[in-house]
Amino acid sequence: MTRTTHLIVLLAALVAGLVGLNLLAANLLSGARLDTTQSGLYRLSDGTQLVIEDIEEPVRWTFYYSRRTAADYPAVRAYGARVRGLLQSYTDAANGRIILTEIDPEPFSEDEEAALAAGLTPTPAGEGDRIFFGLVAENAVDDRQVLASFASDREALLEYDLTRSLADLSRDNRGRLGILTSLPIQPNTLGARPSHIVEELSSAYQVQWVAAGFRELPDVDALLVIHPPRMSDDQIYQLDQFALSGGRMILALDPLALAAFRPGSDGLPPPGARRSSTLDTLLDAWGVEVSPDEVAMDRALGLPVQITEDGRNQVRNYPLWFAIGSSEFSQDDLATSALQRSVNFGSPGHIQLRPVDGLGVRILARTSADGALMEAGVAATNPSPAATLEDYEPAGSPPVLAIRLSGIFPSAFGDTPPRANAAHLSTSRRMGDVVIVADADWLDDPYFLRQDASFGLSVVADNPALLLNLVDLALGDPALLELRSLPSSSRPMSRVGALRAGAEAAYADEQAALETRAAEIQAELDRLLTGWPGEEAPLTRDALQARITSLEAEMAAARDGLRDIERNFRSTIDGLERALRFWTMWLPPILILLTGVSVGVWRQRETLS
């Protein structure tokens, strides 16, 4: 065999081996994945694996994705591939407990009607098309969870949304929420007043009320403590151990709880009302302080109040009662990032922090940069808006109103519990989660409900939404907590971005020109069809028809131009994707192959020489 023939046979054998290896891997290792990204973007988290393992009966996933329509939109197509890949990872990990069906609904088909009936929200596309991109999850008893649309701005929360739907379908019962409070809001008790918050919680969860003199905490999944009563060391110890055993808590503490003194039906404040509340023993162990001597205020965010000045009714912003919006809320926490309206606070406290080993802190809410502090005793005198602005000095850094603590909690009682307890925990058994809000008034009806003569009672702020978000997270599967801060898989590509920006700019300019011309055409059509001659002589019927035909042709030409821009845009992006695929997928094995051949030839020459 000549050297040339030997080389050709060797190359053919290597190519055949490479193709055969790819085919074999595609058939035998289609479900195998190796994720080498820094943050493990394409691996299912441990929390998701735990939720999947808890699935007892098969869950049906129906993935509605207008694949053919989305093919014309590179961004949607790329995200669709990401979603499809992640869904496949779930089904591979579930070993038959998740049954995935993908449907590309045709316009005016039964599949499209089924998607709409299930609650999916299609996205409008060009030329009247719609893109369905959502998921319907159902269990064996036809309970349903619907992800109406996979929005790209929630890409970092994609795994959370999918795992959450699985956890909700796998739950037999609603979460159990314990409520401990000194406020008179427990239904069917003496002096109780209506509470919108309590109604919402009772309709969504199994609520168990904890008596002020409790000896043992009930068996609940999470605990909501609102302006607590005075508590003994033994009761505080039970809260301590509840947190350390993995129970999640939401604490609403307040140095000046105006809600505690709101008159009841008899016109008198509740007996034994407390102005302030704190849990210093616990907070100190966790590196948190809510001072009972100071309240926060914000003149930039003050709520309008009606006052009487010089015998006239005036409306003034009141710094002690203020509304914080998206710029003051954390955009990294699920409880606060999705809020659409502001949340109203009433003379809240402020939170000071110091580091504690093993505990992480996320600031959920703070005042604006103009936030300030006032002595709680002065605020309790109900000063006028003008009085609050006297000697007003911003605090320097915005006072913190709410935080989330997560991690390994230390016991506030160390190794010396106040009572004998063989099961005493000095540190958390597992990752814990506690939310602390330095205000209780934000949960009182007057701060977010408004009575209108025409529309009745309405919610005007997102106070209830924030609490429900917090409770919802607290009562979710513990595995979900680690999914709240998963990184996004988005990696900006400057060249693609420049191409996209250029094409979109051209498209926007052309679209604006089309809209302008369309308005002119419509105006001219209206003039012609109504017979209004304007400055011109009336047209004959044939001339009128010819003019209409000309205008329609001009409109069609403009639309063709738009389609050409979009087509060229997609062609450029696809060409770039093909080039990137070559450089990243094909070039490395080709170089390896050439290197191997070169080494083989070199060794053969060395042997012959």
Side-chain angles (χ1 to χ4, degrees):
M1 182 182 294
T2 65
R3 292 183 178 181
T4 302
T5 304
H6 182 273
L7 180 60
I8 293 174
V9 172
L10 178 62
L11 288 174
L14 288 173
V15 171
L18 181 62
V19 172
L21 184 62
N22 281 330
L23 291 175
L24 185 65
N27 285 278
L28 300 181
L29 302 175
S30 61
R33 288 174 172 81
L34 177 62
D35 184 2
T36 59
T37 58
Q38 180 179 2
S39 303
L41 295 174
Y42 302 98
R43 287 195 303 267
L44 294 181
S45 68
D46 294 338
T48 294
Q49 297 283 4
L50 290 174
V51 171
I52 291 175
E53 290 174 4
D54 289 339
I55 298 176
E56 297 180 355
E57 296 181 344
V59 173
R60 300 186 302 276
W61 271 1
T62 305
F63 177 39
Y64 289 94
Y65 178 42
S66 303
R67 190 171 184 175
R68 277 166 289 189
T69 305
D72 294 335
Y73 301 89
V76 180
R77 183 176 60 199
Y79 191 32
R82 159 90 166 122
V83 172
R84 185 187 297 109
L86 191 58
L87 294 177
Q88 189 61 52
S89 296
Y90 275 84
T91 57
D92 292 341
N95 294 322
R97 285 172 292 179
I98 298 178
I99 303 169
L100 176 63
T101 303
E102 182 174 340
I103 296 176
D104 182 354
E106 294 282 351
F108 309 107
S109 65
E110 293 183 0
D111 290 335
E112 185 182 66
E113 292 181 3
L116 292 172
L120 267 66
T121 304
T123 301
E127 300 184 5
D129 291 332
R130 295 188 295 183
I131 296 177
F132 286 88
F133 190 20
L135 183 76
V136 178
E138 297 174 298
N139 60 16
V141 294
D142 292 331
D143 291 331
R144 175 179 290 182
Q145 292 287 323
V146 177
L147 300 179
S149 178
F150 289 112
S152 58
D153 59 356
R154 286 185 63 84
E155 190 269 342
L157 301 175
L158 176 59
E159 186 179 349
Y160 171 85
D161 290 337
L162 293 173
T163 303
R164 176 61 188 275
S165 70
L166 284 179
D168 287 345
L169 287 176
S170 302
R171 270 188 208 143
D172 294 330
N173 299 304
R174 298 182 299 170
R176 295 165 299 176
L177 175 68
I179 301 180
L180 171 63
T181 182
S182 64
L183 301 179
I185 56 175
Q186 181 177 352
N188 304 319
T189 58
L190 183 63
R193 62 187 182 221
S195 171
H196 180 82
I197 290 290
V198 172
E199 293 174 1
E200 291 286 332
L201 293 174
S202 299
S203 65
Y205 315 106
Q206 298 182 52
V207 171
Q208 297 187 37
W209 292 90
V210 182
F214 72 92
R215 296 180 178 228
E216 297 289 341
L217 286 174
D219 183 16
V220 293
D221 303 309
L223 193 60
L224 172 62
V225 180
I226 307 172
H227 196 56
R230 291 182 178 86
M231 301 175 67
S232 66
D233 287 345
D234 184 70
Q235 290 175 319
I236 295 175
Y237 174 67
Q238 292 188 55
L239 296 184
D240 173 271
Q241 295 296 289
F242 180 82
L244 268 60
S245 63
R248 282 143 287 167
M249 293 199 298
I250 302 168
L251 308 179
L253 310 174
D254 201 329
L256 182 57
L258 302 177
F261 293 91
R262 184 156 66 91
S265 56
D266 57 0
L268 298 174
R274 303 182 63 201
R275 191 188 83 171
S276 64
S277 59
T278 186
L279 292 171
D280 287 341
T281 304
L282 294 181
L283 300 189
D284 185 62
W286 301 341
V288 178
E289 179 185 359
V290 179
S291 172
D293 302 321
E294 292 179 316
V295 299
M297 58 180 177
D298 197 319
R299 62 186 174 187
L301 304 176
L303 290 169
V305 296
Q306 187 171 341
I307 62 173
T308 302
E309 289 183 352
D310 301 326
R312 294 183 299 173
N313 291 330
Q314 304 284 341
V315 175
R316 296 284 185 269
N317 290 343
Y318 194 42
L320 284 169
W321 303 344
F322 55 90
I324 66 173
S326 58
S327 57
E328 289 78 42
F329 278 121
S330 167
Q331 296 305 305
D332 299 321
D333 195 276
L334 289 175
T336 54
S337 61
L339 296 176
Q340 301 297 315
R341 295 177 293 187
S342 61
V343 172
N344 298 335
F345 287 86
S347 56
H350 70 106
I351 298 173
Q352 296 173 290
L353 300 166
R354 59 178 172 78
V356 173
D357 290 342
L359 277 183
V361 180
R362 173 179 288 170
I363 295 176
L364 299 182
R366 62 177 80 203
T367 70
S368 73
D370 206 25
L373 301 175
M374 174 182 282
E375 292 183 11
V378 175
T381 63
N382 194 26
S384 67
T388 62
L389 296 176
E390 293 178 3
D391 302 322
Y392 187 101
E393 291 186 9
S397 61
V400 175
L401 307 177
I403 62 170
R404 182 187 296 276
L405 298 175
S406 57
I408 303 300
F409 285 77
S411 173
F413 296 87
D415 294 322
T416 56
R419 63 173 176 174
N421 182 6
H424 170 73
L425 299 175
S426 57
T427 57
S428 291
R429 180 184 302 167
R430 57 184 181 183
M431 295 286 287
D433 192 82
V434 174
V435 171
I436 302 172
V437 184
D439 190 33
D441 295 317
W442 71 287
L443 300 175
D444 198 23
D445 285 1
Y447 283 86
F448 57 86
L449 290 182
R450 177 178 298 166
Q451 184 70 44
D452 186 270
S454 302
F455 302 100
L457 198 64
S458 59
V459 177
V460 296
D462 265 350
N463 297 44
L466 174 57
L467 179 63
L468 290 173
N469 286 351
L470 293 172
V471 175
D472 196 36
L473 286 175
L475 287 175
D477 194 293
L480 295 176
L481 294 179
E482 67 174 289
L483 304 181
R484 289 181 285 128
S485 55
L486 291 177
S488 170
S489 66
S490 175
R491 294 295 183 269
M493 301 176 66
S494 56
R495 186 177 174 190
V496 176
L499 288 170
R500 182 182 301 279
E504 288 180 349
Y507 181 83
D509 293 341
E510 193 72 22
Q511 185 181 38
L514 172 63
E515 290 174 347
T516 301
R517 183 57 188 149
E520 294 173 353
I521 291 172
Q522 187 62 51
E524 186 172 355
L525 285 173
D526 291 343
R527 180 178 62 81
L528 294 174
L529 293 174
T530 56
W532 179 258
E535 297 180 356
E536 302 175 2
L539 298 176
T540 65
R541 181 173 181 178
D542 290 341
L544 177 62
Q545 185 61 47
R547 181 57 179 160
I548 292 174
T549 302
S550 174
L551 292 175
E552 290 176 345
E554 188 177 350
M555 180 76 78
R559 288 175 175 169
D560 287 340
L562 282 176
R563 281 192 289 269
D564 287 341
I565 290 176
E566 188 69 17
R567 190 179 302 111
N568 292 335
F569 171 58
R570 291 196 298 268
S571 176
T572 304
I573 295 298
D574 289 343
L576 180 58
E577 287 183 351
R578 286 192 295 269
L580 291 174
R581 190 178 298 114
F582 171 79
W583 288 105
T584 58
M585 296 177 60
W586 289 104
L587 185 60
I590 288 174
L591 290 176
I592 293 173
L593 177 63
L594 292 177
T595 301
V597 171
S598 300
V599 171
V601 172
W602 176 78
R603 292 184 62 182
Q604 186 179 27
R605 288 181 177 178
E606 287 292 317
T607 302
L608 293 176
S609 63

